[in-house]
Amino acid sequence: MSTRSPDPSGIVREAVVVATAVGLFGASFGVLAVAAGLPVLMVCVLSLTVFAGGAQFAVVGVIAAGGSPVAGVASGLLLNARYAAFGLAIAPRLRGGFLRRALAAQLVIDESCALAIAREDDDEADRAFWWTGAAVFVLWNLGTLIGALAGSALGDPKALGLDAAFPAGFLALLAPLLRTRAARVTALSGAAIAVALVPVAPPGVPVLASVLGVIAGMAASSGSAVVPAPEEVT
Amino acid sequence: MSWLAVVVLAGGSYALKAVGPLVLGGRPLPARLAVVAALLPPALLGALVAVQTVGGDGRVLAVDARLAGVAVAGLAVWRGAPFIIVILIGTVTAAVLRLLGVP
């Protein structure tokens, strides 16, 4: 470890760490999608154009279970509706004109937004968004291609514990956001609403409905500071 | 799955993602909306953690190895472990439990 780091704020390191983990999910998506009967080309186009792991898993899951493509696409879009909220949260901190923002929109994902929001400085937030978004894009698609080609060689994602990797990762992304009481109340309310709705609502709706937890958070803040002073995620 | 489905999913996803960056542009959010925007990620991430920990296949809740994995990962988060360690600890915990026969 040298005393002078070329990446003093840790933006690149965080991006690469997150993207490496996402690349493994990409590989498991490739395996599962091919196993569900999708051609390799379609699997790779999904990852390039949709670029949202949850929605892609949902579509493939519905189709693998014998559901219609319409049901698959609907649940995928419901899952992705949260990106409208994430995009809204990150938009004021992004730099540049229309074209740069049009490109940035494709990189609006959980990881890029969470790591960018955690940055206090706007320039750092913008850099964190682009580094994380780009690194995740590259490794997600590389992972998808490798997974799709490798087929079932990777083994059962559940046996590998990969289904626990998703919530563990989201928990690590959530933790730094919980420095205000309003945020903690919001997170707990959102989680409770979502879990309560799982048995009664279609897939994707419980996570969407969690935005109502914001109301509880605003009530709990009662005038005190809501917008946290962010620090580093890792 | 048809290519039309891929096009609809891709186009719809991009439209959702673009609402913030393109429609809002570089303008700052109004104060009240900024409060809402600041609280949206905790709500959604909290829900993702919960649903992906105890959500089963379809409209059921399921307690399985994931719960233990996330609990141990939570301890790692609390101890200040780096992101990749948190993920690895959660994954390995669930994998070991599954090896031992836990669903």
Side-chain angles (χ1 to χ4, degrees), chain A residues 51 80 101-102 158 163 166, chain B residues 13-14 17 25 44 52 98:
Chain A
F51 188 47
N80 271 354
R101 285 169 176 277
K158 279 186 78 171
D163 56 341
F166 283 93
Chain B
S13 297
Y14 183 81
K17 289 175 169 187
L44 291 159
Q52 299 201 354
R98 294 241 166 81

Side-chain angles (χ1 to χ4, degrees), chain A residues 89 93 114 116-122 173-184 186 221 224-232, chain B residues 34-42:
Chain A
R93 313 197 61 192
I117 286 166
R119 294 282 167 177
E120 189 171 3
D121 179 79
D122 276 351
L173 293 173
L174 171 65
L177 302 179
L178 300 179
R179 283 187 306 280
T180 66
R181 179 176 149 74
R184 289 191 291 271
T186 302
S221 70
S224 61
V226 168
V227 183
E231 46 190 62
E232 280 195 38
Chain B
V35 171
V36 173
L39 289 178
L40 280 173

Side-chain angles (χ1 to χ4, degrees), chain B residues 58-95:
Chain B
R59 299 184 188 185
V60 287
L61 296 173
V63 173
D64 55 31
R66 289 174 299 168
L67 186 59
V70 173
V72 177
L75 278 178
V77 170
W78 180 57
R79 298 293 298 167
F83 189 84
I84 188 67
I85 301 297
V86 172
I87 287 186
L88 276 176
I89 285 176
T91 305
V92 169
T93 301

Side-chain angles (χ1 to χ4, degrees), chain A residues 17 21 42 49-51 59 63 73 77 80-82 84-87 89 91 98 101-102 105-106 108 117 158-161 163-175 177 183 186-187 191 194-195 198-202 207 210-211 214 218 226 234, chain B residues 1-3 5-6 8-10 12-14 16-22 24-27 29 32 35-54 58-61 66 70 73-74 77 83-84 86-87 90-91 94-95 98:
Chain A
V17 165
M42 185 180 279
T49 60
V50 179
F51 188 47
V59 170
I63 287 171
V73 169
L77 287 178
N80 271 354
R82 71 177 184 278
F86 279 18
F98 184 85
R101 285 169 176 277
Q106 178 68 354
V108 169
I117 286 166
K158 279 186 78 171
L160 294 173
D163 56 341
F166 283 93
F170 287 128
L171 186 61
L173 293 173
L174 171 65
L177 302 179
T186 302
V195 169
V198 164
V200 292
V207 169
S210 73
V211 300
V214 170
M218 291 178 83
V226 168
T234 50
Chain B
M1 181 157 181
S2 68
W3 281 103
V6 175
V8 172
L9 182 62
S13 297
Y14 183 81
L16 290 166
K17 289 175 169 187
V19 164
L22 285 187
L24 194 74
R27 295 185 296 268
L29 282 171
R32 275 194 79 78
V35 171
V36 173
L39 289 178
L40 280 173
L44 291 159
L45 288 171
L48 281 169
V49 172
V51 167
Q52 299 201 354
T53 301
V54 296
R59 299 184 188 185
V60 287
L61 296 173
R66 289 174 299 168
V70 173
V77 170
F83 189 84
I84 188 67
V86 172
I87 287 186
T91 305
R98 294 241 166 81

Side-chain angles (χ1 to χ4, degrees), chain A residues 59-154:
Chain A
V59 170
V60 169
V62 168
I63 287 171
S68 70
V70 173
V73 169
S75 50
L77 287 178
L78 277 173
L79 274 169
N80 271 354
R82 71 177 184 278
Y83 291 129
F86 279 18
L88 209 59
I90 198 62
R93 313 197 61 192
L94 293 178
R95 298 272 184 268
F98 184 85
L99 279 179
R100 193 172 185 270
R101 285 169 176 277
L103 200 55
Q106 178 68 354
L107 301 182
V108 169
I109 48 168
D110 300 322
E111 294 82 6
S112 60
C113 291
L115 290 184
I117 286 166
R119 294 282 167 177
E120 189 171 3
D121 179 79
D122 276 351
D123 282 326
E124 284 193 358
D126 184 73
R127 284 187 61 219
F129 177 88
W130 278 94
W131 269 104
T132 310
V136 168
F137 187 84
V138 169
L139 290 185
W140 172 254
N141 284 289
L142 194 62
T144 299
L145 177 63
I146 291 170
L149 292 178
S152 56
L154 194 68

